[in-house]
Amino acid sequence: MILIALAGVGAGAINAVVGSGTLITFPTLVALGFPPVTATMSNAVGLVAGSSAGTWGYRRELRGQWHRLKWQIPASFLGAGTGAWLLLHLPEKVFTQVVPVLLVLALALVVVGPRIQTWARNRAEASGRSVDHVSAGRMTALVAATFAVGVYGGYFTAAQGIMLIAAMGALLPEDMQRMNAAKNLLSLVVNVVAAVAYTVVAFDRISWLAAGLIAAGSLIGGFLGAHYGRRLSPNVLRAVIVVVGLIGLYRLLTV
């Protein structure tokens, strides 16, 4: 119980800062003997509390983003519902075999994201448009990417934060901390949808003790992560994302 609660604290803090907290709690539950699907469902339910804390902690940075979020939130909602349905109906190995590939691609996008943003800004300046202008094509791509990450998050939840930041970093002329705030909100939407779906459809397959311990721990961790995460520079935050992602990739391949 102590190990699960501590894993929840770590997951809540990491989710608030970069995402991928599931890569702490999920391996912990599996290592303690929980079946993988039970671990996934219990973890998704428990991390709702931490996601709420992280979103609240970053509420200042959400200002001025609602013109995009009004499209991204429904995309996350629908994607999460689709992903939860997949978890409940498809063999577990079908999707988990794809997870390492998706994580590698996301980390690559995080690394090259600044160069893509610079290219987008230079192109906007050359055409006489505002550097903050987001074309209809890029907005469409952003909403599609948000939906795809929602599907992934509804199925497995791990590293969805990294993938969201990677997509937004590649498509938006935004500050890292503001993207992190949007990531927290969209991850919360996915976690809530997945948790409700699992509770309604597979109530007996959830370990409510584990979910409660993760919830308590992640609530504390979420507030801590939001408090200290906004003090990090964009480059440091990007480096933390890559390091956490690589550790998560290793755990995914060895669990």
Side-chain angles (χ1 to χ4, degrees), residues 157-195:
T157 74
Q160 63 171 318
I162 287 178
M163 293 179 183
L164 280 169
I165 286 184
M168 290 187 288
L171 295 168
L172 298 177
E174 265 295 5
D175 172 76
M176 274 293 294
Q177 296 291 1
R178 282 167 58 80
M179 288 192 293
N180 201 40
K183 175 267 296 178
N184 284 343
L185 176 60
L186 295 172
S187 296
L188 173 61
V189 171
V190 172
N191 287 344
V192 168
V193 172

Side-chain angles (χ1 to χ4, degrees), residues 1-28 43 46-47 49-51 53-54 159 183-184 213-226 228-229 240 244 247 251:
M1 290 173 65
I2 293 173
L3 286 174
I4 294 172
L6 289 176
V9 173
I14 289 176
N15 275 342
V17 178
V18 298
S20 292
T22 290
L23 297 176
I24 294 177
T25 47
F26 176 74
T28 298
N43 178 67
L47 286 180
S51 296
K183 175 267 296 178
N184 284 343
L213 291 169
I214 291 173
S218 67
L219 186 64
I220 297 171
F223 280 116
L224 292 175
Y228 292 105
V240 171
V244 172
I247 294 172
R251 291 190 173 188

Side-chain angles (χ1 to χ4, degrees), residues 32 58 93 101 108 118 188 210 219:
L32 292 173
Y58 268 92
K93 64 180 182 180
V101 178
T118 299
L188 173 61
L219 186 64

